[in-house]
Amino acid sequence: MKARVHVMLKDGVLDPQGEAVRHALGHMGFGGVEAVRQGKVIELDLSATDKAAAEAEVKQMCEKLLANTVIEKYTIEIA
Amino acid sequence: MKAAVITFPGSNCDRDLSVAFAQAGAEVVKVWHKETEIPAGVDIIGVPGGFSYGDYLRCGAIASRSPIGQAVADFAARGGYVIGICNGFQVLTEMQLLPGALMRNAGLKFVSKPLALRVATTESAFTSGYEPGQEIVIPVAHHDGNYQIDAEGLARLEGEDRVAFRYVENPNGSVDDIAGVLSENRRVLGMMPHPERAIENAQGGADGAALFRALTQVLETA
């Protein structure tokens, strides 16, 4: 079973890197980019076979390590 | 006073921090990250600067969950003194021993230079050697020193007089110019600037020495 975790800065937390990307896109002629937020994708190969159990475990992983919930939010996809 | 200095893979200020403690009169023990216990009789733990675990995932994230990380958290929970400098500050916020988080510098550049700081409180073992509002010069060297905390957390820090140092000129976008913060019991300090790199004039200034001297005085008599 595979899990994919998306980690993004919470809304309202300024993302200096996203801002830099937005500026660069503007310089390159890509007008109309109003905002850029940069995050991480973390892919996990799991031995678990039960989807609900896997999702619960990955949620624990996110809370304890994969995301810093002071500034980041996350979503989990199980496939 | 006995100080333990932690070394993670990628720490690069552990030796400087040991020298700073020793110069202030402390006995220093180095503790490797795979250890699971802090040696007996330690009065203060130093979590040094550097790039622990290559800054993988987030700065300080892996170190804060390492075997010795739990021992540091337990030591602090028992009322032990801990100082985290630069990467050490990042580690302590990742452990949630200190509130807030350190993000990429607002200017995106690595900033490495001596900077003026204002001592925001002298009510701690770390800052009692300074005068209230005193300006001191301490070097910074970081890429992720942009201290952020929500409005409620900031109000709490300020209400409880827990901001230890502020930048005179903000180099990284930190909220309220914050360069260092104290825990609720005032025994855990995290700061981005490097006082251990300013302990003798040959380093370009010695304003950091008073921090280590004050610590030794407080902890010797404790």
Side-chain angles (χ1 to χ4, degrees):
Chain A
M1 192 168 283
K2 285 184 190 299
R4 183 174 289 150
V5 176
H6 293 257
V7 181
M8 294 294 295
L9 287 172
K10 285 180 178 172
D11 300 337
V13 175
L14 180 69
D15 177 5
Q17 295 178 98
E19 268 301 282
V21 172
R22 187 179 68 83
H23 278 289
L25 289 171
H27 290 315
M28 292 165 71
F30 294 103
V33 180
E34 289 175 356
V36 177
R37 307 284 283 173
Q38 183 180 315
K40 293 184 189 104
V41 178
I42 301 167
E43 291 182 335
L44 309 164
D45 284 330
L46 305 170
S47 57
T49 48
D50 180 72
K51 192 175 171 184
E55 186 159 0
E57 194 174 22
V58 173
K59 186 167 192 299
Q60 284 294 309
M61 296 179 196
C62 289
E63 290 289 330
K64 290 185 174 171
L65 177 64
L66 301 180
N68 177 347
T69 55
V70 174
I71 48 170
E72 294 172 329
K73 59 182 181 178
Y74 60 87
T75 56
I76 300 167
E77 289 169 34
I78 304 278
Chain B
M1 177 178 87
K2 190 166 170 182
V5 174
I6 313 289
T7 302
F8 298 106
S11 294
N12 62 10
C13 301
D14 45 329
R15 200 162 167 276
D16 302 51
L17 185 54
S18 301
V19 170
F21 276 127
Q23 185 182 287
E27 177 194 348
V28 181
V29 286
K30 299 285 286 291
V31 179
W32 182 237
H33 69 111
K34 286 194 173 164
E35 302 288 329
T36 52
E37 282 178 30
I38 300 298
V42 163
D43 299 297
I44 181 165
I45 298 175
V47 186
F51 302 85
S52 58
Y53 300 90
D55 279 349
Y56 292 169
L57 190 64
R58 295 178 306 276
C59 300
I62 309 285
S64 70
R65 279 81 169 171
S66 66
I68 199 64
Q70 188 56 50
V72 174
D74 292 345
F75 181 85
R78 292 194 300 269
Y81 285 82
V82 182
I83 180 170
I85 298 168
C86 200
N87 187 225
F89 186 11
Q90 296 161 343
V91 171
L92 297 183
T93 58
E94 282 282 347
M95 279 181 190
Q96 300 186 356
L97 286 183
L98 294 170
L102 291 144
M103 299 182 55
R104 183 52 44 104
N105 292 346
L108 297 177
K109 290 197 169 66
F110 192 100
V111 181
S112 178
K113 58 183 174 188
L115 278 182
L117 305 181
R118 192 160 286 125
V119 179
T121 181
T122 55
E123 294 294 319
S124 78
F126 307 95
T127 55
S128 61
Y130 298 110
E131 297 297 321
Q134 186 180 342
E135 234 179 72
I136 57 175
V137 176
I138 305 279
V140 299
H142 60 247
H143 210 165
D144 297 81
N146 179 356
Y147 183 75
Q148 294 297 323
I149 188 167
D150 59 20
E152 192 184 322
L154 180 62
R156 192 160 167 224
L157 280 183
E158 295 188 335
E160 295 174 358
D161 189 32
R162 285 166 51 193
V163 177
F165 300 101
R166 284 196 176 83
Y167 302 108
V168 173
E169 284 183 41
N170 193 329
N172 54 28
S174 288
V175 64
D176 201 32
D177 304 327
I178 288 174
V181 298
L182 292 159
S183 62
E184 201 172 349
N185 70 1
R186 314 185 83 76
R187 291 185 173 196
V188 180
L189 169 70
M191 62 188 294
M192 288 312 295
H194 287 275
E196 82 283 11
R197 293 190 191 176
I199 57 163
E200 45 190 276
N201 287 326
Q203 291 172 304
D207 285 352
L211 184 153
F212 296 99
R213 276 200 308 270
L215 264 180
T216 314
Q217 272 175 11
V218 172
L219 294 179
E220 292 275 276
T221 52

